[in-house]
Amino acid sequence: MFMKKAPSEIDPKQNPDLACLQSLIFDEDETPEEQAKTYKNEGNDYFKEKDYKKAILSYTEGLKKKCSDVELNTVLHTNRAAAQFHLGNYRSALNDAITARKLMPNHLKAIIRGALCHLELRHFSESIVWCEAGMKIDPKEKKLLETRAKADRLKRTEERDFRKTKLQEKREQSQKEALLQAIKDRNIKLSVASSEDETETFSGFAEMSLDGLSSESTIGAKVHLEEDGSLTWPVLFLYPEHGQSDFISAFREESRFIDHLIVMFEELPPWDSERKYTPNKLELYYEDEERREIYQIDTKTTLLQALQHQRYFVKAGTPTFLVLVKQSPFSKNYFLGKKVHRLN
């Protein structure tokens, strides 16, 4: 009668009949080798039923008998490796295959299993080594030939992808260096938020890094260097009177503010119920957060001219400007108590 429960799981108090049956099957007078073989056979039956977890339990019990039969122990490790493999436990399976091979270096099934485990773990070079070791024993072993061919193909693909990645990283690093150099050449100053939520300014090129050029915008836009050598920035316009904003993902440095404002307000926004936001009535400012001062910018100037102002710092990679209506009650109130540097 075949037992459907691993012997190690039977509790004599809860299942006295099964415990009695177990004592008949696993006679205490049997040698460790005989008991280990019984567990091996039981594990094989579970394996055939694809009950790999119970198969592992049975093979493990067999190994616990510590019999002196090297070949039997090798088979127990190899079979347990196969069960672990089918459960996706490739590292555990590989450990068993390695142990089996230590016991019997020429055990072909252990070598095949180890090669398959290395393949699944993406250890392509190791898989090839194991396959070649097995092919010395049986040069025509189909599984080894197939595994070696697959491992070799995947290894070459991985190496090619690695070279591509390194080349891309080198190209990106070169682009980053060129970008930083372009910013330095233009005397543009960067600032990022420090861990204390304060502003840290980078005035020297040696201290500059692209960490200060990553836009916080939801679309992830950031400054980049065009092929013609021009810088293109993401730019944010704030309208404090209405709590609104506009985001331009690609604002070329030679473009004038007025040109963008004309396009943006070609049609009045729905929040401008008083129809005040027309380009000829708008004024542009930026805040010097360190000194808590406000500077006015001529709308006819270019973005580059604004960024080159001695007190302008690009924060978080996105130049930001305030847009207010000239001489409006809100503007007057907004500037109360603040030092404003107006255009002459």
Side-chain angles (χ1 to χ4, degrees):
M1 181 178 177
F2 175 62
M3 296 181 66
K4 293 294 181 180
K5 193 165 188 178
S8 60
E9 298 180 69
I10 298 176
D11 186 340
K13 294 183 179 179
Q14 295 183 359
N15 301 285
D17 294 336
L18 287 177
C20 181
L21 182 59
Q22 176 185 348
S23 66
L24 293 175
I25 295 176
F26 298 94
D27 192 336
E28 292 181 358
D29 294 332
E30 287 185 342
T31 64
E33 287 75 14
E34 291 172 329
Q35 293 183 49
K37 186 175 182 180
T38 300
Y39 280 117
K40 183 204 74 171
N41 294 334
E42 182 184 75
N44 290 347
D45 288 330
Y46 283 129
F47 191 95
K48 290 175 183 176
E49 294 183 350
K50 297 184 178 181
D51 193 343
Y52 302 119
K53 290 184 179 180
K54 287 186 177 179
I56 290 170
L57 288 174
S58 295
Y59 295 137
T60 301
E61 288 299 318
L63 289 167
K64 286 181 179 179
K65 297 305 173 182
K66 300 185 182 299
C67 73
S68 58
D69 189 329
V70 175
E71 183 174 359
L72 179 54
N73 286 331
T74 301
V75 171
L76 285 167
H77 276 293
T78 302
N79 290 0
R80 189 169 69 175
Q84 293 279 21
F85 184 90
H86 282 286
L87 290 175
N89 302 329
Y90 303 122
R91 292 191 181 279
S92 296
L94 178 60
N95 289 335
D96 267 323
I98 291 172
T99 302
R101 195 176 173 191
K102 286 180 180 178
L103 294 171
M104 294 185 66
N106 293 328
H107 194 273
L108 195 58
K109 287 187 176 180
I111 294 174
I112 293 173
R113 186 60 57 189
L116 290 170
C117 289
H118 277 303
L119 184 65
E120 292 296 332
L121 292 168
R122 302 186 66 81
H123 304 160
F124 303 129
S125 295
E126 291 85 347
S127 181
I128 291 172
V129 170
W130 278 61
C131 286
E132 291 178 345
M135 289 162 62
K136 289 180 181 178
I137 301 169
D138 185 354
K140 297 181 179 179
E141 167 55 50
K142 184 179 179 181
K143 197 66 178 178
L144 288 174
L145 292 171
E146 291 176 350
T147 303
R148 194 201 184 289
K150 185 176 181 180
D152 184 63
R153 184 177 68 255
L154 292 173
K155 179 174 181 287
R156 284 186 280 109
T157 300
E158 184 179 63
E159 289 172 345
R160 181 199 63 201
D161 292 343
F162 178 78
R163 289 193 298 271
K164 282 185 176 180
T165 299
K166 285 297 181 183
L167 184 61
Q168 181 63 24
E169 289 176 353
K170 186 177 180 180
R171 186 181 297 114
E172 290 177 356
Q173 182 59 34
S174 178
Q175 292 173 347
K176 290 177 181 178
E177 291 173 358
L179 176 57
L180 286 174
Q181 186 63 48
I183 293 172
K184 175 198 174 185
D185 292 342
R186 289 161 172 76
N187 295 316
I188 296 174
K189 297 168 286 298
L190 307 179
S191 68
V192 295
S194 68
S195 57
E196 291 79 18
D197 292 328
E198 296 176 350
T199 299
E200 183 177 358
T201 301
F202 296 103
S203 56
F205 179 64
E207 297 176 310
M208 293 170 66
S209 74
L210 288 179
D211 294 338
L213 300 178
S214 299
S215 172
E216 296 177 343
S217 71
T218 56
I219 62 173
K222 59 183 179 181
V223 60
H224 64 276
L225 187 62
E226 302 288 353
E227 291 184 1
D228 62 4
S230 173
L231 287 177
T232 298
W233 294 83
V235 173
L236 183 65
F237 289 106
L238 302 177
Y239 310 106
E241 183 175 359
H242 297 279
Q244 300 290 329
S245 64
D246 274 319
F247 182 79
I248 299 177
S249 60
F251 194 130
R252 290 179 66 92
E253 63 181 358
E254 68 271 18
S255 297
R256 300 187 308 166
F257 289 101
I258 187 62
D259 296 325
H260 281 278
L261 292 173
I262 289 173
V263 174
M264 290 159 57
F265 292 97
E266 185 175 3
E267 293 183 8
L268 293 175
W271 43 263
D272 183 19
S273 58
E274 299 180 34
R275 305 177 67 84
K276 298 185 300 183
Y277 282 74
T278 57
N280 63 324
K281 295 181 180 179
L282 299 179
E283 292 182 333
L284 205 62
Y285 298 87
Y286 75 84
E287 289 193 65
D288 181 346
E289 296 183 0
E290 183 181 350
R291 294 184 178 180
R292 301 184 183 278
E293 298 176 359
I294 297 177
Y295 290 81
Q296 185 179 7
I297 301 172
D298 189 339
T299 57
K300 295 180 181 179
T301 61
T302 64
L303 174 61
L304 177 58
Q305 289 173 319
L307 299 184
Q308 289 177 325
H309 191 279
Q310 60 178 348
R311 290 305 304 168
Y312 195 91
F313 300 94
V314 179
K315 185 176 181 181
T318 305
T320 303
F321 302 94
L322 301 171
V323 181
L324 297 166
V325 176
K326 188 184 305 181
Q327 297 299 316
S328 69
F330 178 85
S331 296
K332 294 178 181 179
N333 186 63
Y334 186 82
F335 293 131
L336 284 178
K338 299 176 182 178
K339 185 175 181 179
V340 182
H341 301 268
R342 296 188 180 277
L343 296 172
N344 295 327

